[in-house]
Amino acid sequence: MFEPMEPHEEKPIIYTMENKPIVTCAGDQTLFTGLYSLLAQQLPREPMEWRRSYGRAPKMIHLEANFVQFKEELLPKEGNKALLTFPFLHIYWTDCCDTETYKASVKEDMQRWQGVLRLHGSSDWLIVVVESDGKKKNKTNILPRTSIMDKIRNDFCNKQSDRCVALSDPLRESSRSQESWSSFLTKLRTLLLMSFTKNLGRFEDDMRTLREKRTEPGWSFCDYFMVQVLLLRMLLVRNLLNLPVRSWNGLLLRRPIDMEKRELIQRSEASLLDLRSYLFSRQCTLLIFLQRPWEVTQRALELLHNCVQELRLLEVSVVQGALDCWVFLSCLEVLHRIEGCCDRAQLEANFSHTVGLWTYATEKLKSLGYMCGLVSENGPNSEELNRTVDLLAGLGAERPETANSPQSPYKKLKEALSSVESFEKHYLELSHAALEMYRAIGRMRSARLVGKSLAEFYMRKGDAQTAQTFLLDSLKSYTSEGWSLPVTHTRKQIAECQKQLQQTEDYLQTSALLASDANLTDEERKHYCQEILTFANQASENKDQRVALSMSSFAQLRELRFQPAAATVHVGAALQLELRLCSLMPVPVRLEQVAASVHFSLEQPGTRPGPVGSQRRTGVSPDGTVTFPATSPSYGPPQSSAAAALELYEMQDRSPSDNTLNSTGVMCKNVHLLLRSNDSTTSLDMPRGSASALTMEDGAQMLKTNDVTLLPGSNSIVFSSMQAGTYTLRQLCATVGRVQFVLPHIYPIVQYDVYSQEPQLTIEPLTDNLLAGLPQRVKFTIVTGHYTVKKGDALQLTNSTSMPILHSSSCSACILSSTEELVGEAALSIQASEKVTSISLPPTPPYHILEFQLEVLCHIPPSPTRAESERLTNGEVRHRPKSRTRYNSGMASIDQKVSIDCPWSIYSILISLTFYTPFRAKHSLLSAGKRKYIQVCLQNVSDTNFCIANQTLTELQHTPSLELLSLNAKSRQLVYSKQCLYSLWEMKWSRETLPPCLQCVFNASFSPADAPDTALKPYSYEFQLERVSTLYTVKADIQPAVGEEQCRAGSLCRLEVSITRLTDATEAEREDEEAIETEGLRTTKLMYEVVDNSSHWAVCGKSSGLVSMPVAAMATHKVQMEVMPLFAGKLPFPSIKVFKYLPHTAPPMTQTTTSPLLDKGLEDQADTASLRSRGSVHSLGSSDHQQQQRSVPMPRLDPFSPGQVFNCSLTRQVLVLPSTDDHVLEVNVT
């Protein structure tokens, strides 16, 4: 297409000044010669704006010109369109300042000059008159300059006065000369640009006119093309294209223009291929000049493909192989030229641009080799030799510019076609070069495509081993990307190689894949299937030696169905596994045996809670069907991700006695698949190296079926199993003679159970909670397992006296099958004594369920039971499920143990039932002076509404002088859930004092709100009251200050506290209190404390102190103190508390060590923040002091029992008026 670049072979063309716009100079040549250098230097300094027509954007350009002497031969003749040699402007130079000289010679010369211009139709001219001061001095009779200018304008420039310019001595450096020179340059640039634009526009108009005539007969595209070439060349030379602005001087281009092709185009003798070659050579020249050589390769590849297609579409007849030779030479010429202008590093970095040409050249050389017989094992025949001679003759002689190059494309092609060895050398060199380039740039698909082409070459050469390596690499790519047709074609080639290499196992595996490939015809599929059957039926010396192949190419497991659907049966029952296999073979195949490998586990399904048949396997549909995902054995990405899915199962450890859960965990059952490395896994699509993955597991149990014929399409195979255990399907194997088709892994995981279950007994309540005191129903469930319940078998229940078992004559039992279907009903015979209940069971077959219900009653203990958060007798904390604990919050629990002796076991089963007390009771003692009252609060803590009746309160040991008078109006009341019922009794006694201790019992009857009166059940609550009698009364009085009628806020008031003893000392008090004998009168010490927790009062002075109280009836002690009301309104009295003060005599050695209370004395603690009792014994010293004095006896405060001290002023209030000078009234309302 174009010649390779060899700089030393041909003289380059150097673009110099003659390529600039031509400006002719006439007149005084000596004058112009003196101004030439200055003019050529300063003309391109200032840019000019070039405005073009048709809305094209203006641009700034620098004008240059090639000034030459005016000759008539330079003027263009009619029809000449060579813009490069076209003179755009004509200048006449003169410095004449003498009128006679002007008339004698200059005028005539100007007339002759303009006549020549008019003759050739040129109107772009300029007359320059140069004024010289030296000539003016020598000529005294000259006219002024203006007269010469006027004459010239009158003679030549009548209508174009701007065509005559006066230039004032340009070689001088005066301001006038510089101004004149600058004006002249501007005029020259303007006229030159106008002329160029006008002539360029006329040329473009002519070109458009020529284009519009393309429909006329005789129109020549070559002429139009050359006009475009001239325009492009002119713009390129003038630097007017959008190219980098740089000088072409010094740029060496070897054969930038193919003159031979150009002359053919000018003579309209060029072919389509010549025109394409000429255009491409011009593009290459420009792209290399623009330093974009990598675009040459892209354009070259497009050009070659387009030319080949166009020649084929136009049905151009060429010699067979000539087009391949032309493409091969063109590819190598382009690559050779690119290598000549780039270094090695640039070539390696741009493999992505050149590898396409390398591959195309390789394909064409391979085509020539097949055509000339250079690839076959036997070499070329006579016809192929004649074809090779014709092709070599058609190449012609090598061009002179490449004759000295030892690695020219011409020599390579001629050498490759000369012999088989040379062809193999050049073809492998080109193929491996393209292969390495593709790998270097990461285009692995293209690299494998080249490898596949190499494999075909090696197969033609008889090297099957090398060909198989490339084919397997290509097959890997096609399979992973899902290209079905390339996979099929490649497998056929691999099968041919394996057959030649006698790789029997791999050949059989590939044949199985091809026999199941729907892309092949039926005849081809039957051929490969017959290959497998022929080998399978051959006799072998070692009968035990078999060939294992992948079943995915032979048949597919579509569905598995269990009968029964739960996939769980007991020993002795029939379990059927029906497999649906889809045969991929085109003909029926007789199988000697179909075997399923199963993994046996000792896990007993009966150890899981609940009936055995109620648990369903994961992945098994309700009808017992497991569907397997459909996969294509022929192509598609490998399903390794699905095969290695995580298979997790729950593992539970339960107690064998009561089936309680001890521990639980998670177990992965396909660790052997997950831990395999990716390098060791072998896809079924890659037959090589797959034998180890298709071996059957050693020692595995087998389910077998013999003599099965697989028809094309769907087939059904049935297995049976009865041995106890849990089985997992692992593998499937179909045997045909010496061939075994193995499915190494069955996914999803399929399991079935054949169980032998031990009998189980469970007792569970029919309600969420068992309530004590009411009959409750519980459900007995017996799972017989392998045991047969015979006539006379009975359950012996041993229970406590607090929980009797209730029974009736109409109690019956239900017999259910393992699938919870009702089989029948039978009556129960129950015999009960005080602690032992015997239940006769009806005859029940094994693996059935026996259910019946009984009523139990747990008596409520009279004393308060332990709370459910308390500890058991063995010290363990009782734990409840979260839901039960939340539901039973606040309910006391009662645990009842039941021991059951079963006929199938020599051990007793201990079962615990938890009952909850529905009520919570509490009591309180109320006082009103000497009158006493007992209040009992009964709270319903359950979620059931109850009816309470017959509330009574009695003494356990009757006191004749005491009477409990009921103050309750209703005898029957409804108590809703979470509500309380209060009952009140008044104590009446005839003696002066009450007994020191009273033991009482509260009795009531209760039943659910919707139950009849006959369903009332008793409830009792025992409690004890101590120190019931009132010993002291406390009375307080508040008086206003002296002179005031009412108390006022902020004013001091007087508080008087009176403590009166009502009875004499009893024997019990003498034992409890340490009385002091003073002057024959027994006294005891009391401590009082005035506290106002509501911050209504401020106690001024002593707020607490000790008093010595005589132990005698009506003994009174009064204490006075000052208090100040803080608010106005009805204020309640401050709280007054009284404690027993119990002093202890310290040992003599520690008399000097006393507490701060004893050191200071309670009488001296007159402070509002004095000792405050909270109803318990408070320490009177700091914590550090307590640690030091822990062993020292200390006085203590002992509170009185409820009812021993009666405060008469507990609810009294006093009116407090606001202060008179307050502007803000504060009223406290209580």
Side-chain angles (χ1 to χ4, degrees):
M1 292 175 8
F2 57 85
E3 301 300 330
M5 186 172 64
E6 298 289 345
H8 60 278
E9 297 176 3
E10 186 176 299
K11 293 183 179 180
I13 295 178
I14 301 178
Y15 294 96
T16 56
M17 293 295 292
E18 60 269 13
N19 294 308
K20 300 175 183 179
I22 298 176
V23 178
T24 63
C25 298
D28 193 347
Q29 296 298 323
T30 304
L31 175 63
F32 171 73
T33 302
L35 299 176
Y36 169 76
S37 59
L38 183 62
L39 183 60
Q41 180 182 1
Q42 295 187 5
L43 180 62
R45 284 187 178 180
E46 298 293 333
M48 293 291 292
E49 185 180 20
W50 183 31
R51 295 182 178 273
R52 303 186 64 185
S53 58
Y54 298 102
R56 285 174 283 190
K59 63 182 300 184
M60 303 301 293
I61 61 174
H62 292 264
L63 292 176
E64 295 182 276
N66 184 16
F67 296 94
V68 299
Q69 186 177 358
F70 176 78
K71 294 180 181 180
E72 188 175 355
E73 293 79 6
L74 295 175
L75 297 178
K77 299 179 181 179
E78 185 178 358
N80 188 1
K81 300 177 181 179
L83 289 178
L84 290 177
T85 59
F86 184 83
F88 291 96
L89 186 63
H90 307 276
I91 305 177
Y92 188 90
W93 296 86
T94 181
D95 59 350
C96 177
C97 55
D98 186 3
T99 307
E100 296 179 358
T101 306
Y102 169 73
K103 292 180 180 179
S105 58
V106 175
K107 181 178 179 180
E108 183 180 356
D109 188 42
M110 285 185 181
Q111 290 175 347
R112 188 167 50 253
W113 172 67
Q114 279 203 348
V116 175
L117 293 179
R118 283 194 298 269
L119 181 61
H120 290 81
S122 177
S123 60
D124 298 315
W125 49 270
L126 177 66
I127 299 175
V128 181
V129 180
V130 180
E131 180 186 274
S132 177
D133 293 339
K135 287 191 175 183
K136 288 183 178 181
K137 293 179 181 179
N138 296 330
K139 302 290 184 179
T140 57
N141 58 344
I142 61 176
L143 295 174
R145 179 182 56 82
T146 55
S147 62
I148 295 295
M149 288 290 296
D150 292 339
K151 285 183 175 293
I152 294 176
R153 286 174 179 171
N154 292 332
D155 295 338
F156 301 100
C157 307
N158 291 330
K159 298 179 181 181
Q160 297 176 328
S161 59
D162 58 338
R163 293 291 179 171
C164 186
V165 179
L167 185 59
S168 178
D169 202 353
L171 299 179
R172 297 185 61 182
E173 295 183 358
S174 62
S175 59
R176 181 171 176 270
S177 299
Q178 295 296 328
E179 182 180 356
S180 175
W181 180 254
S182 178
S183 177
F184 167 70
L185 290 178
T186 302
K187 174 65 70 173
L188 181 58
R189 294 191 190 104
T190 302
L191 294 177
L192 184 58
L193 186 59
M194 289 174 57
S195 175
F196 179 78
T197 304
K198 180 181 65 174
N199 287 279
L200 180 62
R202 185 183 298 117
F203 187 86
E204 290 179 343
D205 292 339
D206 294 341
M207 185 178 67
R208 294 188 190 97
T209 302
L210 183 60
R211 183 180 59 190
E212 295 299 328
K213 296 180 180 180
R214 63 184 180 275
T215 58
E216 297 180 1
W219 184 81
S220 174
F221 174 79
C222 294
D223 295 341
Y224 174 70
F225 175 76
M226 292 308 301
V227 171
Q228 284 186 317
V229 169
L230 291 176
L231 176 61
L232 177 64
R233 186 180 178 190
M234 188 273 298
L235 294 176
L236 184 65
V237 171
R238 302 293 185 260
N239 286 337
L240 297 179
L241 288 176
N242 292 325
L243 301 176
V245 179
R246 52 177 291 182
S247 175
W248 282 44
N249 294 336
L251 179 62
L252 300 177
L253 295 179
R254 196 183 96 14
R255 295 181 61 87
I257 301 177
D258 192 343
M259 301 306 297
E260 297 178 2
K261 299 289 191 303
R262 184 175 179 179
E263 291 177 359
L264 292 175
I265 295 173
Q266 287 178 343
R267 296 195 304 267
S268 299
E269 298 176 358
S271 64
L272 177 61
L273 195 58
D274 294 334
L275 181 61
R276 291 268 186 169
S277 301
Y278 177 79
L279 285 175
F280 180 70
S281 64
R282 300 296 294 142
Q283 289 178 355
C284 288
T285 303
L286 294 176
L287 289 173
I288 293 176
F289 164 69
L290 296 175
Q291 298 181 356
R292 287 150 55 184
W294 310 117
E295 290 189 23
V296 175
T297 59
Q298 178 183 356
R299 292 174 182 265
L301 196 59
E302 294 177 359
L303 172 68
L304 294 176
H305 282 291
N306 291 337
C307 289
V308 171
Q309 294 298 327
E310 289 174 1
L311 291 175
R312 187 173 302 165
L313 292 175
L314 296 176
E315 298 180 357
V316 178
S317 61
V318 293
V319 179
Q320 184 181 5
L323 191 58
D324 294 336
C325 293
W326 175 77
V327 172
F328 177 80
L329 291 175
S330 300
C331 291
L332 292 189
E333 284 179 0
V334 174
L335 292 172
H336 190 61
R337 185 164 184 179
I338 296 299
E339 291 175 357
C341 61
C342 299
D343 55 16
R344 185 64 182 174
Q346 290 177 327
L347 291 174
E348 292 179 356
N350 291 275
F351 277 160
S352 59
H353 297 90
T354 59
V355 67
L357 289 176
W358 283 106
T359 306
Y360 202 20
T362 305
E363 294 176 359
K364 293 307 175 182
L365 185 59
K366 176 183 175 182
S367 177
L368 290 173
Y370 285 146
M371 190 184 307
C372 298
L374 300 175
V375 183
S376 61
E377 297 181 9
N378 301 325
N381 53 29
S382 58
E383 182 181 356
E384 292 169 343
L385 287 175
N386 293 332
R387 188 179 297 117
T388 304
V389 172
D390 294 340
L391 290 176
L392 292 177
L395 291 178
E398 187 175 5
R399 294 186 178 183
E401 56 269 17
T402 62
N404 297 327
S405 177
Q407 295 295 329
S408 65
Y410 180 87
K411 292 185 175 65
K412 286 186 176 181
L413 178 59
K414 192 171 183 180
E415 182 180 356
L417 298 179
S418 60
S419 64
V420 175
E421 293 77 11
S422 299
F423 175 81
E424 182 177 355
K425 170 189 172 184
H426 287 283
Y427 176 72
L428 292 179
E429 180 182 350
L430 290 176
S431 298
H432 285 288
L435 191 64
E436 294 300 327
M437 289 181 187
Y438 279 129
R439 290 176 178 174
I441 61 178
R443 291 177 56 179
M444 302 308 298
R445 294 180 185 173
S446 300
R448 287 166 180 159
L449 190 62
V450 175
K452 191 170 183 296
S453 179
L454 276 172
E456 296 175 356
F457 172 78
Y458 282 115
M459 289 177 64
R460 293 288 295 269
K461 298 294 290 184
D463 189 356
Q465 185 66 45
T466 307
Q468 185 181 16
T469 304
F470 288 105
L471 290 174
L472 289 175
D473 194 21
S474 299
L475 180 63
K476 179 180 178 182
S477 176
Y478 297 150
T479 305
S480 62
E481 296 174 8
W483 299 99
S484 61
L485 290 177
V487 164
T488 303
H489 182 261
T490 306
R491 279 200 180 126
K492 289 176 62 178
Q493 295 175 323
I494 292 176
E496 184 179 348
C497 294
Q498 292 169 347
K499 189 173 184 179
Q500 293 180 10
L501 296 174
Q502 296 182 355
Q503 297 175 354
T504 305
E505 184 175 348
D506 293 340
Y507 175 68
L508 292 177
Q509 180 67 72
T510 306
S511 298
L513 291 170
L514 292 172
S516 61
D517 198 332
N519 293 323
L520 296 178
T521 62
D522 292 341
E523 290 74 12
E524 290 177 314
R525 294 179 59 189
K526 291 178 181 179
H527 165 72
Y528 288 109
C529 181
Q530 190 60 40
E531 290 284 312
I532 300 174
L533 297 179
T534 302
F535 174 83
N537 296 327
Q538 287 178 356
S540 176
E541 298 178 358
N542 189 357
K543 297 182 179 180
D544 296 333
Q545 184 180 3
R546 298 179 183 272
V547 176
L549 304 179
S550 173
M551 184 176 285
S552 63
S553 58
F554 175 73
Q556 289 185 353
L557 180 59
R558 294 292 177 85
E559 187 178 273
L560 184 146
R561 184 186 300 272
F562 286 104
Q563 184 63 34
T568 302
V569 295
H570 56 80
V571 175
L575 174 67
Q576 289 187 347
L577 286 76
E578 181 182 355
L579 299 181
R580 287 188 56 195
L581 288 176
C582 180
S583 176
L584 303 177
M585 295 293 103
V587 295
V589 179
R590 180 182 174 276
L591 303 180
E592 296 179 4
Q593 185 185 79
V594 178
S597 170
V598 293
H599 175 74
F600 173 73
S601 174
L602 292 178
E603 177 189 355
Q604 291 293 326
T607 61
R608 295 188 294 270
V612 177
S614 63
Q615 299 198 4
R616 189 169 299 281
R617 293 291 183 182
T618 304
V620 181
S621 61
D623 60 348
T625 302
V626 180
T627 303
F628 297 92
T631 58
S632 174
S634 298
Y635 59 92
Q639 304 294 330
S640 58
S641 59
L646 196 63
E647 294 292 338
L648 297 180
Y649 285 82
E650 182 183 8
M651 180 180 61
Q652 295 181 352
D653 181 19
R654 293 184 176 272
S655 173
S657 59
D658 55 357
N659 201 32
T660 58
L661 182 64
N662 295 332
S663 63
T664 184
V666 177
M667 179 178 64
C668 180
K669 289 194 174 182
N670 60 338
V671 181
H672 61 290
L673 296 180
L674 296 174
L675 297 183
R676 288 191 308 176
S677 62
N678 294 331
D679 296 337
S680 63
T681 58
T682 305
S683 172
L684 297 179
D685 295 322
M686 302 297 293
R688 292 182 60 84
S690 61
S692 60
L694 299 177
T695 56
M696 298 293 291
E697 296 179 356
D698 296 334
Q701 298 190 15
M702 308 292 288
L703 302 178
K704 299 180 180 179
T705 299
N706 298 324
D707 294 332
V708 177
T709 300
L710 283 186
L711 301 177
S714 180
N715 298 267
S716 178
I717 303 175
V718 180
F719 298 96
S720 299
S721 178
M722 292 195 313
Q723 187 177 355
T726 298
Y727 297 89
T728 304
L729 292 181
R730 293 295 192 191
Q731 295 176 320
L732 192 64
C733 177
T735 304
V736 184
R738 299 171 56 193
V739 178
Q740 284 185 336
F741 293 95
V742 180
L743 182 62
H745 305 291
I746 297 179
Y747 180 83
I749 300 297
V750 178
Q751 288 184 335
Y752 66 92
D753 294 322
V754 180
Y755 62 89
S756 175
Q757 186 182 15
E758 294 294 330
Q760 294 182 9
L761 171 64
T762 58
I763 301 177
E764 53 186 355
L766 295 181
T767 58
D768 292 339
N769 297 283
L770 296 175
L771 296 180
L774 295 175
Q776 302 289 299
R777 299 188 69 84
V778 294
K779 179 182 178 182
F780 286 71
T781 303
I782 299 176
V783 180
T784 61
H786 62 78
Y787 182 78
T788 302
V789 180
K790 300 175 292 295
K791 184 178 181 180
D793 289 345
L795 297 179
Q796 303 291 333
L797 279 68
T798 304
N799 55 282
S800 61
T801 57
S802 60
M803 192 197 72
I805 295 178
L806 310 178
H807 64 278
S808 62
S809 59
S810 61
C811 185
S812 63
C814 297
I815 301 176
L816 307 176
S817 65
S818 60
T819 58
E820 299 185 1
E821 297 178 359
L822 182 62
V823 177
E825 294 186 5
L828 290 179
S829 175
I830 302 176
Q831 298 178 359
S833 62
E834 183 180 359
K835 289 187 177 181
V836 178
T837 301
S838 178
I839 305 174
S840 297
L841 302 176
T844 307
Y847 298 103
H848 280 65
I849 302 172
L850 183 64
E851 293 181 351
F852 59 90
Q853 298 180 9
L854 294 178
E855 282 191 347
V856 296
L857 177 64
C858 177
H859 297 297
I860 302 177
S863 59
T865 57
R866 61 173 172 83
E868 78 172 332
S869 61
E870 293 180 356
R871 294 180 177 270
L872 301 177
T873 55
N874 60 358
E876 295 181 359
V877 178
R878 184 173 184 82
H879 297 283
R880 302 285 179 195
K882 291 185 178 180
S883 60
R884 299 283 296 275
T885 303
R886 183 175 64 251
Y887 181 81
N888 300 319
S889 178
M891 298 176 67
S893 61
I894 304 171
D895 287 339
Q896 296 289 349
K897 303 290 185 179
V898 180
S899 177
I900 305 176
D901 293 330
C902 303
W904 56 79
S905 176
I906 61 174
Y907 300 102
S908 298
I909 299 177
L910 187 63
I911 294 178
S912 176
L913 295 177
T914 302
F915 293 83
Y916 295 93
T917 305
F919 301 108
R920 178 190 296 165
K922 60 182 178 179
H923 67 278
S924 59
L925 178 64
L926 307 177
S927 301
K930 290 186 177 182
R931 300 176 68 178
K932 299 293 182 178
Y933 302 89
I934 299 176
Q935 178 182 272
V936 178
C937 175
L938 188 65
Q939 182 183 4
N940 181 6
V941 294
S942 68
D943 290 338
T944 306
N945 300 330
F946 290 100
C947 181
I948 307 298
N950 305 327
Q951 303 100 309
T952 61
L953 183 64
T954 59
E955 293 182 86
L956 292 178
Q957 296 180 357
H958 180 65
T959 304
S961 61
L962 179 63
E963 180 185 0
L964 298 177
L965 180 60
S966 175
L967 302 180
N968 304 308
K970 296 181 180 181
S971 62
R972 185 181 179 90
Q973 291 185 353
L974 183 63
V975 181
Y976 293 97
S977 175
K978 312 304 179 184
Q979 288 189 349
C980 298
L981 175 65
Y982 292 89
S983 303
L984 187 65
W985 286 264
E986 184 179 0
M987 301 173 61
K988 298 286 186 178
W989 64 93
S990 58
R991 295 182 182 180
E992 294 183 357
T993 59
L994 291 170
C997 181
L998 291 177
Q999 292 184 350
C1000 303
V1001 56
F1002 168 77
N1003 292 300
S1005 299
F1006 71 97
S1007 65
D1010 54 355
D1013 294 341
T1014 57
L1016 290 173
K1017 299 296 179 181
Y1019 175 79
S1020 62
Y1021 169 66
E1022 295 180 0
F1023 59 91
Q1024 180 175 323
L1025 297 174
E1026 297 180 354
R1027 299 176 182 178
V1028 181
S1029 300
T1030 303
L1031 299 180
Y1032 298 97
T1033 61
V1034 178
K1035 184 177 181 180
D1037 188 24
I1038 298 178
Q1039 297 295 330
V1042 179
E1044 297 286 345
E1045 296 181 0
Q1046 297 289 341
C1047 297
R1048 292 186 178 274
S1051 300
L1052 292 176
C1053 300
R1054 187 175 72 255
L1055 171 65
E1056 184 180 75
V1057 180
S1058 298
I1059 305 176
T1060 303
R1061 184 175 178 87
L1062 301 180
T1063 62
D1064 293 329
T1066 62
E1067 293 298 333
E1069 289 180 316
R1070 292 189 184 98
E1071 295 176 0
D1072 293 342
E1073 300 179 357
E1074 297 182 6
I1076 301 174
E1077 192 77 26
T1078 305
E1079 297 178 358
L1081 182 66
R1082 294 177 59 84
T1083 61
T1084 183
K1085 287 191 176 183
L1086 302 177
M1087 178 185 169
Y1088 69 90
E1089 182 182 10
V1090 179
V1091 180
D1092 183 27
N1093 293 327
S1094 58
S1095 301
H1096 294 159
W1097 301 87
V1099 181
C1100 303
K1102 295 192 298 180
S1103 63
S1104 61
L1106 294 177
V1107 297
S1108 295
M1109 195 71 185
V1111 186
M1114 303 310 295
T1116 304
H1117 188 90
K1118 295 184 179 181
V1119 178
Q1120 293 183 355
M1121 61 187 68
E1122 291 183 341
V1123 295
M1124 178 186 294
L1126 303 179
F1127 303 98
K1130 290 267 189 176
L1131 300 184
F1133 275 42
S1135 177
I1136 302 172
K1137 301 179 181 179
V1138 178
F1139 304 93
K1140 297 177 185 179
Y1141 182 79
L1142 304 178
H1144 291 272
T1145 304
M1149 59 172 34
T1150 60
Q1151 285 182 358
T1152 58
T1153 305
T1154 59
S1155 66
L1157 176 62
L1158 299 177
D1159 292 340
K1160 188 173 184 180
L1162 289 173
E1163 292 81 355
D1164 298 334
Q1165 297 183 28
D1167 195 295
T1168 57
S1170 60
L1171 182 65
R1172 297 177 182 267
S1173 175
R1174 299 298 179 187
S1176 61
V1177 180
H1178 284 251
S1179 174
L1180 301 178
S1182 63
S1183 60
D1184 295 339
H1185 195 73
Q1186 277 185 341
Q1187 297 293 334
Q1188 298 174 3
Q1189 304 295 337
R1190 180 171 296 179
S1191 61
V1192 178
M1194 300 291 294
R1196 61 188 179 90
L1197 301 178
D1198 192 8
F1200 287 98
S1201 299
Q1204 285 188 308
V1205 178
F1206 178 71
N1207 191 350
C1208 300
S1209 306
L1210 184 62
T1211 59
R1212 287 189 61 187
Q1213 294 180 339
V1214 62
L1215 178 62
V1216 177
L1217 299 179
S1219 58
T1220 57
D1221 57 347
D1222 285 345
H1223 298 286
V1224 179
L1225 179 63
E1226 295 186 8
V1227 178
N1228 190 293
V1229 180
T1230 59

